[in-house]
Amino acid sequence: SKTYLEAPVDVMATYECYNANPHAIERLVHAMLAPHRLNVTLHSADGRKYRPREWFCVPLATAQGVVERIADGTLSQYRVDGTTGQLVPKTREYLHSSGNR
């Protein structure tokens, strides 16, 4: 299938949402992964410039982990590491330095 990147992709995982708003889940995923969004400007087939907003440079396990933490209700206990892009538990040091308690 083609994507917003106008290139073929392989679907690595799909999730079904039950008793949940899929748009709200997508917003949470985007919020968690936003610092790792692919930062490119592309040209569409008709020559228009656009910036894809649906792509992130993180390991597949990170994206899957974010969805799984949303499903089990523990997402607030995790963060995406700014260097590795991995989903990691928040530590006391992180909570203290970021002003969260």
Side-chain angles (χ1 to χ4, degrees), residues 2-66:
K2 281 216 162 200
T3 67
Y4 193 57
L5 290 177
E6 299 187 30
V9 298
D10 293 326
V11 175
M12 303 304 291
T14 60
Y15 295 88
E16 295 184 16
C17 297
Y18 297 99
N19 300 319
N21 179 332
H23 298 292
I25 292 170
E26 182 179 19
R27 282 192 302 273
L28 284 171
V29 171
H30 279 236
M32 284 292 288
L33 301 180
H36 300 277
R37 189 179 315 276
L38 180 64
N39 185 17
V40 296
T41 301
L42 301 174
H43 297 272
S44 66
D46 63 8
R48 289 184 293 157
K49 288 183 181 180
Y50 69 96
R51 294 187 68 195
R53 308 292 295 159
E54 300 286 326
W55 297 94
F56 306 91
C57 298
V58 296
L60 176 60
T62 297
Q64 291 173 316
V66 169

Side-chain angles (χ1 to χ4, degrees), residues 60-72:
L60 176 60
T62 297
Q64 291 173 316
V66 169
V67 173
E68 291 163 5
R69 299 298 70 81
I70 292 169
D72 69 16

Side-chain angles (χ1 to χ4, degrees), residues 32 69 72 74-80 87-90:
M32 284 292 288
R69 299 298 70 81
D72 69 16
T74 63
L75 185 64
S76 65
Q77 299 171 24
Y78 291 84
R79 65 181 181 85
V80 177
L87 189 65
V88 295
K90 290 179 180 175

